[in-house]
Amino acid sequence: MHTVVRAGQRDISVPVGLLMGGRFVAGSSGETFSVFDASTGQPFVEVASATEEDARTALEHAVAAQEEWAASTPMERSEILYRAFELVKQHTEELALLQSLELGRALPDSTGEVGYGAEYFRWFSQQAMAIRGDYRVPPAGVGRIITHHRPVGPVLAITPWNFPLAMIARKVAPAIAAGCTIIVKPAQMTPLTALYLGELLQEAGVPEGVVQILPTKSAKNISVLLDDDRLRKLTFTGSTEVGQMLASKAMEKSMRTSLELGGNAPFVVLEHADVDKAVTEALAAKMRGAGQVCVAGNRFLVHESLAEEFTRGVVAKMGEYVMGPGTREGVTMGPLVSAEERDKVAALVDGAVKEGATVELGGPEALAALGEEHPELDPQGYWYPATVLSGVMPEFEIANTEIFGPVLAIQTFSDEDEALRIANDTPFGLAAYVCGEKLARTMSFAEKMQAGMVAVNRGALSDATAPFGGVKQSGIGREGGFEGLGEYLDTVYIALES
């Protein structure tokens, strides 16, 4: 169940079957689905599509493996995870090329993600040996309180297309560290990275049935497992609407749930900010993966005294991005992942212009002239030009929707209270950013921002060793850091006699 795909200048052998019970196999129905090259809009490979029957078979494997895997030593699990880290690093080029091919993302961004995703395996290889309990005397002095941890049990992980390696790594790595078996449903648009990673995990020594990967053209074929009492945890990254629906289903079985959902991240440039630094960090927060990032800056709130200089700076920098197929050397911004995503971004920009925003770069006219200005781009690809809008108001649709594209929408404010009110006026709270050179005031502002993660004077905040997650409607639980392991462990209290 392998095939060879051409990615950039490389031929790469990739699995195209379901990873079940330690082997890559065809789906029970024999059906497949196409994976598309976002730069051409054309299919380039067929991948096996899992059915409900396959999902139930995978759960049987996971349940059968759970007890023995839970009894494995922390050292065994740690060594497997570290081997996985080493193998991912060794195969950086192949993984990056596959991501850029199926996702469309520029190669530098894909290479960065491979390094980031690998760190989850290294970090949790250490945490596997750091699981500990507690022994203490209760206040009354009668008996003793002992606590220890055991793995939650079989896990279902549902992951998105925008980080096809890292989103899996930060779920699979702590599951392995904790002693849980796990079934992964990767996104339909980006299954190849997941399957290639699955092969590396097998090579690292993951036992049969511990990690299984089920690509499918119908997500319902996998989410049917939420009806089974033997599945004990759901971890989901994706849209708020889908995540809440799945969590509601999981709660019918009182299942442990971790959700990383949508965002609407504010990027605030305070009056005392260093504008050059703010521009640099704004681009870091916005343009990775052509803006298709859950923690991407979405609402750029700039003090009115700095707005003109900031706008001029981001227009100059965004105008330097080079569009093209993600696997091509020199390209810094690839296409969006699908025609649907491209059309959504275009509609948001068109709507903002109709509501009164000013196009400073890109926008509808640049999109219309794309074929003429860039004849080297395949017209069937999912292209959208880097765009800067000014004059955006808080009530505009684009200010209340996760854009997921290369569009930087600028609002202005006159004082910090107004900025904080606008920044927090959203049902979401995944990430937030603030720039300012007066540290005490900037930190005070950051502490009042309603988000699970806040970056101060920096546009990149993701770190395998830090807790990742949101508040309000942006999610439940944390991934990464010390906190990430606890999501896969149950705490058991033993009351010891005196």
Side-chain angles (χ1 to χ4, degrees):
M1 293 299 295
H2 285 66
T3 193
V4 174
V5 299
R6 184 74 172 174
Q9 302 303 309
R10 288 283 307 274
D11 288 329
I12 303 174
S13 175
V14 293
V16 289
L18 315 177
L19 177 55
M20 290 204 308
R23 298 184 301 119
F24 287 99
V25 298
S28 58
S29 69
E31 288 187 304
T32 63
F33 63 89
S34 300
V35 182
F36 289 79
D37 180 341
S39 68
T40 65
Q42 299 302 310
F44 67 92
V45 72
E46 293 290 312
V47 172
S49 182
T51 64
E52 288 188 15
E53 180 184 344
D54 296 321
R56 292 192 173 95
T57 300
L59 184 59
E60 294 291 342
H61 286 302
V63 171
Q66 180 58 57
E67 184 176 354
E68 184 175 351
W69 181 236
S72 64
T73 68
M75 182 72 77
E76 288 177 87
R77 301 195 295 273
S78 174
E79 289 175 345
I80 288 172
L81 284 166
Y82 196 79
R83 284 197 294 272
F85 161 72
E86 292 179 315
L87 285 166
V88 170
K89 294 292 284 185
Q90 289 169 20
H91 291 267
T92 293
E93 183 180 5
E94 295 93 331
L95 285 163
L97 284 167
L98 285 174
Q99 287 184 42
S100 290
L101 180 62
E102 61 182 348
L103 175 57
R105 185 171 55 193
L107 199 53
D109 286 340
S110 294
T111 302
E113 192 208 328
V114 175
Y116 168 51
E119 288 301 323
Y120 282 101
F121 292 109
R122 174 152 65 176
W123 172 250
F124 284 109
S125 74
Q126 299 165 13
Q127 298 312 303
M129 295 189 291
I131 300 171
R132 62 181 186 179
D134 193 20
Y135 176 95
R136 61 184 185 268
V137 180
V142 179
R144 296 295 182 267
I145 294 172
I146 299 173
T147 62
H148 73 104
H149 302 283
R150 61 186 176 206
V152 169
V155 177
L156 173 61
I158 300 176
T159 61
W161 49 262
N162 61 331
F163 280 85
L165 185 137
M167 297 302 100
I168 294 175
R170 75 181 186 198
K171 298 176 188 300
V172 166
I176 290 175
C180 294
T181 58
I182 184 167
I183 299 167
V184 179
K185 190 210 82 65
Q188 182 179 347
M189 289 182 282
T190 55
L192 297 183
T193 304
L195 293 169
Y196 196 94
L197 175 61
E199 188 162 58
L200 296 181
L201 292 173
Q202 296 297 112
E203 187 178 341
V206 172
E208 177 181 311
V210 170
V211 176
Q212 298 175 91
I213 300 176
L214 304 184
T216 183
K217 61 184 178 183
S218 174
K220 291 180 180 179
N221 288 345
I222 311 302
S223 60
V224 69
L225 295 179
L226 296 174
D227 292 325
D228 197 308
D229 288 319
R230 296 172 299 172
L231 187 73
R232 295 313 309 145
K233 178 176 171 64
L234 166 70
T235 173
F236 171 87
T237 299
S239 73
T240 298
E241 295 77 13
V242 174
Q244 290 175 343
M245 178 187 68
L246 292 173
S248 176
K249 187 68 176 174
M251 283 308 298
E252 293 177 11
K253 303 294 184 182
S254 299
M255 196 177 295
R256 286 280 292 275
T257 305
S258 301
L259 305 174
E260 191 247 290
L261 307 177
N264 188 10
F267 188 106
V268 181
V269 183
L270 298 174
E271 183 178 10
H272 44 83
D274 178 321
V275 175
D276 288 341
K277 183 191 296 182
V279 167
T280 298
E281 300 308 323
L283 271 291
K286 174 80 260 185
M287 291 299 289
R288 186 171 45 151
Q292 300 174 112
V293 178
C294 54
V295 296
N298 208 59
R299 297 171 292 145
F300 288 80
L301 313 178
V302 185
H303 190 271
E304 59 190 10
S305 67
L306 305 178
E308 184 177 343
E309 184 181 358
F310 178 85
T311 302
R312 189 166 57 245
V314 294
V315 166
K317 292 289 187 182
M318 287 182 71
E320 295 173 359
Y321 279 83
V322 178
M323 277 197 298
T327 55
R328 184 180 297 168
E329 293 292 337
V331 166
T332 54
M333 191 179 86
L336 300 188
V337 72
S338 68
E340 181 183 9
E341 290 295 320
R342 188 265 320 280
D343 293 346
K344 186 196 84 170
V345 171
L348 284 171
V349 174
D350 292 349
V353 172
K354 288 177 183 176
E355 289 177 290
T358 299
V359 177
E360 304 285 353
L361 178 73
E365 291 186 8
L367 179 61
L370 206 57
E372 185 178 331
E373 297 285 336
H374 296 278
E376 75 280 6
L377 300 180
D378 191 309
Q380 300 304 310
Y382 313 131
W383 311 104
Y384 197 86
T387 295
V388 178
L389 302 176
S390 64
V392 174
M393 302 299 289
E395 63 270 20
F396 287 9
E397 183 182 8
I398 201 167
N400 294 281
T401 305
E402 194 170 22
I403 301 170
F404 246 58
V407 179
L408 198 153
I410 301 171
Q411 305 177 46
T412 62
F413 63 89
S414 57
D415 62 64
E416 291 183 13
D417 288 342
E418 180 189 10
L420 187 65
R421 178 183 58 78
I422 296 171
N424 289 339
D425 187 18
T426 172
F428 302 102
L430 186 58
Y433 305 83
V434 58
C435 293
E437 291 303 298
K438 294 182 179 179
L439 183 60
R441 283 174 60 184
T442 306
M443 281 299 296
S444 176
F445 191 97
E447 289 170 357
K448 295 172 186 174
M449 298 182 89
Q450 296 173 2
M453 300 171 285
V454 180
V456 177
N457 289 326
R458 56 186 290 188
L461 50 67
S462 298
D463 190 315
T465 67
F468 190 105
V471 298
K472 298 195 282 189
Q473 291 194 41
S474 287
I476 299 169
R478 293 295 180 267
E479 296 183 304
F482 297 109
E483 296 82 355
L485 187 59
E487 300 285 342
Y488 295 83
L489 294 168
D490 284 330
T491 299
V492 179
Y493 157 49
I494 297 176
L496 186 64
E497 65 180 355
S498 300

